[in-house]
């Protein structure tokens, strides 16, 4: 039996075609969370129409909302993506997405606020620390950006590229 977790694992391993193929003719019934994974697989294949159709069969969950935002971003509909993110609860996953969208659209105030709010809830959140550092860097504050990464570099949680950037800015 093919499980939802197995499908998610295939997506994490960048194998959306296999995730879809495993469902084959045995598509889940409407309201099944598997439709969220199917939508994400379609989106990773560059097919937002199929992703949107799959979301229409998915339950209304936070995960489905985040995939719907991804569809909007894929289509370049950033204003609608922002509105959708603002309608979702301010949990760390949503706040990180808000921050990343702010970076993508050069709304550094919104990005900074979003990353800061995410970090208020989870102070050691690596993605939030990196996002906040990117905001500082884009504002021309490279030394402050590097200092803001001290926490993750010291804990050994930083990817090599961040360690290098941190070390060269000091």
């Amino acid at each position: 039996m093919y499980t939802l977790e197995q499908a998610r694992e295939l997506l994490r391993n960048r194998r959306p075609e296999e995730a879809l193929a495993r469902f084959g003719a045995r598509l889940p019934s409407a309201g099944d969370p598997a439709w969220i994974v199917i939508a994400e697989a379609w989106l990773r294949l560059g097919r937002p129409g199929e992703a949107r159709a799959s979301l229409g069969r998915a339950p209304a969950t936070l995960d489905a909302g985040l995939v719907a935002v991804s569809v909007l971003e894929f289509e370049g509909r950033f204003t609608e993506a922002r509105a959708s993110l603002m309608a979702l609860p301010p949990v760390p996953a949503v706040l990180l997405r808000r921050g990343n969208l702010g970076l993508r659209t050069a709304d550094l105030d919104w990005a900074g606020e979003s990353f800061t709010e995410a970090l208020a809830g989870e102070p050691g959140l690596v993605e939030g620390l990196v996002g906040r550092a990117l905001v500082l860097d884009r504002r021309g504050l490279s030394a402050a950006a590097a200092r803001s990464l001290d926490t993750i570099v010291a804990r050994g949680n930083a990817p090599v590229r961040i360690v290098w950037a941190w070390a060269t800015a000091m």
Side-chain angles (χ1 to χ4, degrees):
M1 181 68 151
Y2 184 52
T3 67
L4 189 55
E5 189 52 42
Q6 289 170 322
R8 285 189 173 123
E9 184 63 28
L10 287 171
L11 286 179
R12 277 191 289 277
N13 291 319
R14 304 191 189 286
R15 295 165 47 196
E17 298 93 345
E18 190 174 341
L20 288 171
R22 292 270 184 101
F23 283 107
R26 296 183 50 168
L27 291 174
S29 58
D32 190 312
W35 283 106
I36 300 167
V37 176
I38 292 169
E40 188 174 348
W42 282 123
L43 187 59
R44 289 186 185 200
L45 291 171
R47 297 173 65 178
E50 286 89 341
R52 199 175 306 99
S54 297
L55 286 171
R57 301 198 66 176
T61 65
L62 179 61
D63 287 340
L66 289 172
V67 174
V69 167
S70 294
V71 170
L72 293 169
E73 287 181 290
F74 181 87
E75 295 173 331
R77 297 164 55 192
F78 301 119
T79 302
E80 292 171 68
R82 180 180 177 139
S84 293
L85 282 170
M86 294 305 291
L88 295 174
V91 297
V94 173
L95 294 167
L96 291 174
R97 289 291 297 276
R98 288 179 187 176
N100 287 325
L101 181 59
L103 284 171
R104 188 171 184 188
T105 60
D107 186 342
L108 298 182
D109 290 336
W110 189 50
E113 291 166 9
S114 299
F115 289 128
T116 298
E117 192 175 345
L119 289 166
E122 290 188 38
L125 194 62
V126 172
E127 296 89 346
L129 292 166
V130 171
R132 188 172 60 189
L134 286 169
V135 170
L136 291 169
D137 187 61
R138 290 191 184 166
R139 287 186 167 149
L141 304 170
S142 296
R147 280 192 306 277
S148 75
L149 296 175
D150 285 347
T151 305
I152 58 175
V153 172
R155 286 191 319 206
N157 290 350
V160 172
R161 154 176 102 207
I162 292 172
V163 173
W164 176 83
W166 176 81
T168 57
M170 299 311 271

